[in-house]
Amino acid sequence: MTGSLIRRFVGGTSLATLTAVMIALGGGEVLAAHQVGSSGTTGSYSWTDTAAHPAGVCDYNGGGTAGHIYIVQIKVRAPDSVLWPAGTGSSSGRVGFKVKLQHLHGGTWSTVNTGPEASATASRHTSAMFGTRRVHWAGPISGKDRAVAVLTWYRPNDSVLGRAHVVIDHYKNNHDGIGRSYCPVGYSDV
């Protein structure tokens, strides 16, 4: 934080609160799931996505052609919290959660499959409750895959109020137990 940002933040903030914020910003494990796009009016949300607690899991089949093991799905843990946005004229509403699976093609991430959307009710103070979402993939045997979570806030008439796209940055690989920042598409049997 720069001096001017600290001065603006401190206006009325206790030293203990400021110290806690500085510790949170400067140390410890950083949450990694990050928003890559949004539109309209969205509520607040949070995800725990660290190397120690990855939000994504890569699942593989038990063997494949030419001695390879192939990815079959990515699972994404539910967000820790998804709230209804303030200033919308209502104190609660429906929120959707789905996962897009993207494959890296020559330096560009392209969506290759999208899982079904789950929906739940959120208020300004009570989070929507979701379970783990899955998206399947049986694509090429080389390269990298990742998950993009899509959160959608809906108006009462089911039109979209707002949408956020969040890239999941940490994955547990169920094949070998090693954590990575993407899901490898194929493994060689050794």
Side-chain angles (χ1 to χ4, degrees):
M1 281 182 121
T2 66
S4 63
L5 285 174
I6 292 172
R7 282 190 292 280
R8 279 188 244 150
F9 179 77
V10 171
T13 303
S14 72
L15 181 57
T17 302
L18 179 60
T19 302
V21 169
M22 294 303 287
I23 289 169
L25 290 175
E29 229 173 317
V30 176
L31 302 182
H34 66 281
Q35 183 173 299
V36 292
S38 69
S39 60
T41 302
T42 64
S44 64
Y45 61 88
S46 66
W47 240 293
T48 300
D49 180 29
T50 63
H53 301 286
V57 176
C58 311
D59 283 332
Y60 297 85
N61 68 6
T65 315
H68 284 82
I69 295 175
Y70 303 101
I71 189 167
V72 293
Q73 73 177 348
I74 293 178
K75 295 183 281 194
V76 175
R77 245 185 333 91
D80 301 320
S81 151
V82 180
L83 298 176
W84 189 253
T88 61
S90 62
S91 61
S92 65
R94 183 171 68 92
V95 181
F97 168 37
K98 66 182 175 182
V99 176
K100 292 182 177 184
L101 192 148
Q102 294 187 330
H103 183 71
L104 187 61
H105 294 284
T108 302
W109 290 99
S110 302
T111 299
V112 294
N113 202 8
T114 302
E117 183 177 68
S119 64
T121 300
S123 76
R124 292 182 193 150
H125 305 289
T126 305
S127 178
M129 299 300 291
F130 294 106
T132 298
R133 303 304 305 153
R134 293 168 174 76
V135 61
H136 300 278
W137 173 234
I141 62 167
S142 62
K144 301 175 182 180
D145 286 329
R146 72 177 186 184
V148 177
V150 181
L151 296 172
T152 306
W153 289 261
Y154 291 98
R155 293 182 182 93
N157 67 2
D158 288 335
S159 65
V160 173
L161 175 65
R163 185 171 281 142
H165 291 81
V166 181
V167 169
I168 303 302
D169 286 327
H170 294 284
Y171 300 87
K172 175 185 172 198
N173 287 277
N174 274 345
H175 174 66
D176 60 10
I178 297 172
R180 292 186 173 84
S181 59
Y182 60 89
C183 292
V185 174
Y187 277 103
S188 287
D189 272 332
V190 178

